[in-house]
Amino acid sequence: MASRTRTRFWDPSGHRYGIPTYPRKKVPPHLRTLRQLAAEGLRPGGQGPQAQVLWCSRLPGPPRVRATYLYDVRFALPKRSRRTRTTPPKVNTSRRTCSECLTDVGYVLPRHLGVCLDCAEEAAA
Ligand SMILES: [Zn+2]
């Protein structure tokens, strides 16, 4: 039954449904739902739905086909938000340089340790 459902909703050309259609587990990697785009800090931009994903609702009652539109991540734009407009504060490299191994570890050293996490772990061992 599962395989029947899969082929039923398999229509990448949009010949049957009028818009490229995929079952849930066969969605091409460049297509995202609105929710997936939002999770990545993106919005559809100017594009309309590029495709849809169809599945059967598992709610009690007669089986219903549900649809969610898909958008092409390549046309997506970053969400407008304060977070994307502000640049992260510059961190003084001295705060990232371990006094023990003298390397810039790429993150701010925890003040209570004074050394990088690797060195702290070694010291603890
Ligand atoms: Zn270190």
Side-chain angles (χ1 to χ4, degrees):
M1 189 169 171
S3 62
R4 237 182 78 202
T5 309
R6 229 170 284 152
T7 48
R8 184 179 162 202
F9 295 146
W10 177 251
D11 183 24
S13 64
H15 184 74
R16 221 179 321 163
Y17 293 103
I19 179 172
T21 300
Y22 303 93
R24 257 177 169 177
K25 287 180 180 172
K26 299 278 181 169
V27 175
H30 66 281
L31 293 174
R32 311 284 159 86
T33 64
L34 277 181
R35 195 176 287 187
Q36 288 168 334
L37 282 180
E40 293 174 46
L42 298 170
R43 60 193 169 91
Q47 69 179 310
Q50 303 295 313
Q52 65 182 352
V53 57
L54 290 184
W55 75 95
C56 276
S57 169
R58 285 189 187 165
L59 293 173
R64 275 192 208 166
V65 174
R66 310 292 306 268
T68 298
Y69 287 130
L70 296 168
Y71 300 86
D72 193 323
V73 73
R74 293 168 297 189
F75 304 137
L77 297 171
K79 256 187 187 174
R80 292 193 194 97
S81 73
R82 275 186 195 173
R83 207 184 238 188
T84 54
R85 263 188 247 141
T86 54
T87 49
K90 288 223 169 159
V91 173
N92 192 332
T93 52
S94 69
R95 288 169 62 197
R96 302 187 315 202
T97 305
C98 175
S99 58
E100 200 70 32
C101 61
L102 303 175
T103 47
D104 181 351
V105 290
Y107 55 85
V108 178
L109 299 170
R111 228 174 248 171
H112 66 282
L113 294 176
V115 293
C116 75
L117 295 176
D118 288 338
C119 288
E121 228 170 75
E122 247 174 60

